Amino acid sequence: MTGFLQRTEKSISSRRLIARGEKILVAVSGGLDSMVLLYALKTLSAAHQWKMVIAHFNHRLRGRASNADEKLVRKVAAKLKLPAVVESADVKSFAKKSKLSVEMAARKLRHEFLARTAKNQKIKTIALAHHADDQVELFFLRLFRGAGGEGLSGMKWKSPSAADKTISLVRPLLVFSKIELLEFAKQNKIRFRDDATNLSSDFLRNRIRNELLPLLRKNYQPALNKTIFRVMEILGAESEFIGRSSERELAQIRDQRRLASAAVKRNFENLSLAIQRRVLQTQLLESGIVADFDLIESLRRSPDQFISVGANISVARNPFGEIQLREDLKPGFNSNERLINLAGSAGVENFSGAKFDWKIFRDGERGFMQNKNQSRFMLAATKLKREFFDADKIGGKIILRHWQPGDRFQPIGMKSPKKLQDLFVNAKIPHARRRHLVLATAESGEIFWVEGLRISENFKVAAQTERQLVWEKASA
């Protein structure tokens, strides 16, 4: 047995990842990591009497390349005489419909598929091919997103599935670097496929992997993996201690209603800062509320002050640290709307006490604004509340309406859509005024204009624009 297989076997046995005779679902993408994991587990399975099932999820994100991945996995499964469960989904469509990033949509669908397959196969353990380099990438990814100690401690060797807590995810390769996996694959002539999207700079994880980490290893810390692992281990141990301590405190907080008056005098503010934050975070997550740092700090510093966390829901904490939810009775959203057909070259519409003038110019016509002159025209148009859009991207119909729950908008200069509610807050638009503002959607249903905000990034005038919509709002 090679050193690689011995270390894999030791990791599995010492951490009790897979029991003898257990049935395992192995997640196999067709890439280097998962093909090495499959080979290693298959080689060790005879000695440990493991029963293996392969699971492959085709994300349909790379066209023929995705289908080639699936073909390779099916071929290897047949060669190893292992059952394989294959499923596919249109991740891009799901991401758009669910208003998620493609990366998050892919992760959600993949985890749901794996959990569903495991349950159908009566399997309790899913083996994943995460390795040491994944841990380092995840550390920086979470660091940039402002994660706390629990998040920065990284992936665990064994953890519950995000899609089904009754199913365990195990990661037998966390001790190995990518280079070690590649060397093992070469020695054993293991076939795998490279994912070209791993080289794309569109994803933050790829930029961390391909740009940041090589720079840090070259110019700052050659032993970066070792250093980060040490930090993660320290943070993990401290986070575990804080978690246990906060559980005890939270249990006492919840018992306060039936405790004697002397015991009730316990003061939340006397707890350590870390325990205060974890107690609040735990309760928020249990209530299905996103426990971001700003919300936790606002609750921690201001007892009995309710804070809006969603449609008609506010949250506060009492002086003893217990979270309280309140349903707010707020005015309903305005459902009025008006359809505008962009027939002809100009028109005037009235909606919600305002008049909207529109004109369409073709390239070469007088009044057509060239992209290179956009900043000058935009400056002059600001006083007239006049704005310019690519008419062909907008289409033949516009709907004027008011803000509705879940609306998202991508102002010019932003890389992704944001919740309109968040944009209103950032723009300091009073809450009472938000439901009266008018917005316009293109024929596709996407918002291209919101009263009081910047124009849309996706509908701005560009060098290739052939027809231009000039849009002006005035009092009726």
Side-chain angles (χ1 to χ4, degrees):
M1 186 184 295
T2 66
F4 184 97
L5 291 174
Q6 287 177 340
R7 289 170 64 193
T8 303
E9 186 176 44
K10 183 179 179 181
S11 293
I12 292 172
S13 59
S14 64
R15 294 174 173 84
R16 299 178 181 179
L17 302 183
I18 307 171
R20 182 177 181 82
E22 188 174 0
K23 192 175 182 182
I24 320 160
L25 186 68
V26 186
V28 183
S29 67
L32 168 66
D33 313 340
S34 63
M35 296 301 280
V36 167
L37 173 67
L38 176 61
Y39 183 93
L41 293 180
K42 177 60 177 174
T43 306
L44 296 170
S45 64
H48 297 274
Q49 299 180 8
W50 294 327
K51 302 171 186 67
M52 298 168 56
V53 176
I54 293 174
H56 175 79
F57 187 72
N58 185 340
H59 300 85
R60 294 194 227 160
L61 289 172
R62 297 181 295 117
R64 292 180 180 177
S66 292
N67 294 333
D69 294 344
E70 179 182 326
K71 185 177 180 180
L72 173 62
V73 173
R74 288 184 183 276
K75 186 174 181 179
V76 171
K79 181 179 179 181
L80 296 177
K81 298 180 180 179
L82 293 174
V85 180
V86 177
E87 192 172 297
S88 67
D90 187 343
V91 171
K92 285 186 177 178
S93 295
F94 176 77
K96 185 176 182 180
K97 182 179 179 181
S98 304
K99 298 179 180 178
L100 296 170
S101 68
V102 172
E103 190 176 14
M104 289 304 296
R107 182 180 185 276
K108 176 178 173 60
L109 289 175
R110 183 171 62 250
H111 275 284
E112 289 176 351
F113 158 69
L114 291 173
R116 183 170 60 254
T117 302
K119 204 142 195 172
N120 291 340
Q121 296 285 330
K122 297 181 180 179
I123 294 174
K124 292 292 185 182
T125 301
I126 301 173
L128 304 178
H130 295 118
H131 50 80
D133 288 11
D134 289 330
Q135 282 281 55
V136 177
E137 292 167 14
L138 183 63
F139 176 86
F140 283 98
L141 190 65
R142 289 179 173 175
L143 178 67
F144 296 152
R145 290 175 177 170
E150 188 175 16
L152 294 177
S153 62
M155 293 177 286
K156 305 296 186 289
W157 287 87
K158 188 171 186 175
S159 61
S161 164
D164 188 335
K165 302 300 181 184
T166 66
I167 296 171
S168 295
L169 305 178
V170 297
R171 302 174 177 88
L173 302 184
L174 278 183
V175 71
F176 298 104
S177 68
K178 188 85 169 184
I179 293 176
E180 290 176 300
L181 298 185
L182 185 58
E183 184 62 30
F184 182 76
K186 288 180 179 178
Q187 290 174 357
N188 293 276
K189 298 180 180 179
I190 299 173
R191 290 184 60 195
F192 63 88
R193 286 182 50 78
D194 286 318
D195 184 349
T197 60
N198 288 333
L199 300 176
S200 170
S201 297
D202 292 342
F203 301 108
L204 177 57
R205 181 185 283 274
N206 288 354
R207 295 198 296 275
I208 291 172
R209 176 190 302 135
N210 302 324
E211 300 171 12
L212 177 63
L213 297 185
L215 176 68
L216 293 177
R217 290 186 177 110
K218 179 180 178 181
N219 296 338
Y220 297 93
Q221 177 52 275
L224 185 65
N225 281 22
K226 183 178 179 180
T227 302
I228 296 300
F229 290 161
R230 186 186 304 130
V231 172
M232 294 173 87
E233 185 175 346
I234 293 170
L235 289 173
E238 292 178 350
S239 179
E240 186 178 348
F241 171 76
I242 293 171
R244 288 197 303 268
S245 301
S246 66
E247 285 175 6
R248 289 195 295 269
E249 293 295 340
L250 184 54
Q252 294 187 49
I253 288 171
R254 286 168 169 165
D255 281 345
Q256 286 175 142
R257 295 190 191 94
R258 60 183 181 80
L259 291 177
S261 58
V264 174
K265 292 180 181 178
R266 292 172 54 82
N267 196 332
F268 179 76
E269 280 79 7
N270 291 338
L271 298 175
S272 70
L273 183 59
I275 299 297
Q276 288 181 32
R277 287 171 174 162
R278 184 63 68 87
V279 164
L280 296 175
Q281 179 193 41
T282 300
Q283 294 179 85
L284 289 170
L285 292 175
E286 288 175 351
S287 301
I289 298 170
V290 178
D292 63 65
F293 181 79
D294 291 336
L295 174 58
I296 290 173
E297 285 300 278
S298 296
L299 294 171
R300 188 181 66 79
R301 293 173 176 171
S302 307
D304 295 324
Q305 181 174 324
F306 279 89
I307 301 169
S308 176
V309 292
N312 302 338
I313 298 293
S314 293
V315 63
R317 66 110 177 151
N318 64 24
F320 309 111
E322 189 174 19
I323 288 294
Q324 299 170 321
L325 298 180
R326 182 183 73 186
E327 184 175 0
D328 298 327
L329 299 177
K330 296 180 179 178
F333 285 86
N334 191 331
S335 60
N336 292 337
E337 62 179 44
R338 184 176 183 83
L339 172 66
I340 300 176
N341 287 306
L342 299 182
S345 60
V348 179
E349 300 288 342
N350 292 293
F351 178 73
S352 193
K355 183 175 71 173
F356 296 88
D357 292 312
W358 61 269
K359 296 181 181 65
I360 293 179
F361 292 97
R362 293 184 179 277
D363 190 1
E365 290 182 343
R366 183 179 180 182
F368 185 89
M369 182 190 67
Q370 296 296 331
N371 184 56
K372 61 184 179 181
N373 296 323
Q374 182 167 359
S375 59
R376 176 168 60 84
F377 274 81
M378 287 297 290
L379 184 61
T382 301
K383 298 177 181 178
L384 302 173
K385 299 181 183 178
R386 182 180 298 162
E387 289 162 313
F388 302 83
F389 302 93
D390 188 312
D392 291 314
K393 290 181 180 178
I394 288 174
K397 297 178 181 179
I398 289 175
I399 290 180
L400 292 178
R401 61 175 177 84
H402 298 278
W403 170 43
Q404 294 293 328
D407 275 341
R408 300 176 75 86
F409 178 61
Q410 185 176 353
I412 191 168
M414 286 193 176
K415 294 183 178 180
S416 60
K418 305 293 181 185
K419 287 184 179 179
L420 259 184
Q421 178 174 317
D422 295 339
L423 294 172
F424 287 149
V425 171
N426 293 338
K428 295 182 171 55
I429 296 175
H431 196 283
R433 174 166 162 70
R434 297 173 193 174
R435 285 181 173 80
H436 299 289
L437 296 178
V438 178
L439 60 83
T441 66
E443 190 167 5
S444 64
E446 184 176 351
I447 299 171
F448 72 86
W449 175 80
V450 179
E451 184 180 358
L453 297 181
R454 288 173 284 168
I455 68 171
S456 169
E457 170 70 26
N458 295 332
F459 297 88
K460 66 184 180 183
V461 175
Q464 63 271 27
T465 297
E466 296 181 356
R467 295 194 314 137
Q468 190 176 121
L469 171 69
V470 180
W471 182 260
E472 183 176 345
K473 174 186 178 292
S475 297

